């Protein structure tokens, strides 16, 4: 799930960069405020998609059918999805070109999967 969420945010920020820089130059907000607001607004969607996908996958694969195990797995996957989204935002904000950011993003996320 970290790879999917990272790719989404990596693609979005370069498109939002001109608006962010214009508003930052006018001192409407600082980067920390933007990051917190972006994370808070995207978190419900990331959590919803990760929860739905995990719920289907968990029982389809036939993992332990105990509530404790399921909710622990759900917690881990949701945490990974939020971390992936943050990594995607970092990569997207560090690299201006969308193509280059999409090339670099997997090289950062795949080692974390191992």
């Amino acid at each position: 799930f970290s790879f999917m969420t990272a790719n989404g945010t990596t693609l979005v920020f370069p498109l939002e960069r001109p608006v962010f820089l214009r508003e930052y130059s006018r001192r409407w907000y600082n980067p920390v405020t933007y990051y917190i607001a972006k994370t808070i607004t995207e978190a419900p969607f990331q959590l919803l998609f990760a929860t739905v996908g995990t719920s289907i996958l968990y029982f389809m694969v036939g993992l332990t059918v105990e509530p404790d195990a399921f909710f622990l797995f759900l917690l881990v996957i949701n945490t990974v999805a939020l971390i992936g989204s943050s990594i995607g935002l970092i990569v997207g904000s560090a690299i201006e070109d969308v193509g280059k950011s999409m090339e670099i993003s997997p090289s950062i996320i795949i080692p974390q999967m191992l």
Side-chain angles (χ1 to χ4, degrees):
F1 282 96
S2 68
F3 195 72
M4 293 184 324
T5 57
N7 281 341
T9 53
T10 301
L11 288 171
V12 170
F13 186 79
L15 301 174
E16 296 176 352
R17 180 186 300 272
V19 175
F20 169 74
L21 292 175
R22 183 181 64 236
E23 292 174 354
Y24 176 68
S25 68
R26 293 179 181 168
R27 300 188 187 273
W28 287 356
Y29 52 78
N30 61 18
V32 174
T33 307
Y34 174 81
Y35 173 76
I36 291 171
K38 183 129 178 100
T39 302
I40 289 173
T41 56
E42 288 185 356
F45 298 107
Q46 301 294 344
L47 295 175
L48 176 70
F49 297 143
T51 300
V52 170
T54 299
S55 300
I56 295 168
L57 178 73
Y58 188 85
F59 296 108
M60 188 186 321
V61 173
L63 297 175
T64 307
V65 186
E66 293 180 8
D68 294 342
F70 172 72
F71 287 114
L72 180 63
F73 185 73
L74 193 63
L75 176 70
V76 169
I77 293 298
N78 281 328
T79 304
V80 167
L82 291 175
I83 291 170
S85 178
S86 297
I87 290 172
L89 188 59
I90 290 168
V91 171
S93 63
I95 301 167
E96 294 182 25
D97 184 27
V98 176
K100 289 180 183 176
S101 64
M102 290 304 294
E103 291 173 3
I104 292 175
S105 181
S107 65
I108 294 171
I109 293 173
I110 290 176
Q112 295 175 9
M113 293 180 183
L114 302 175

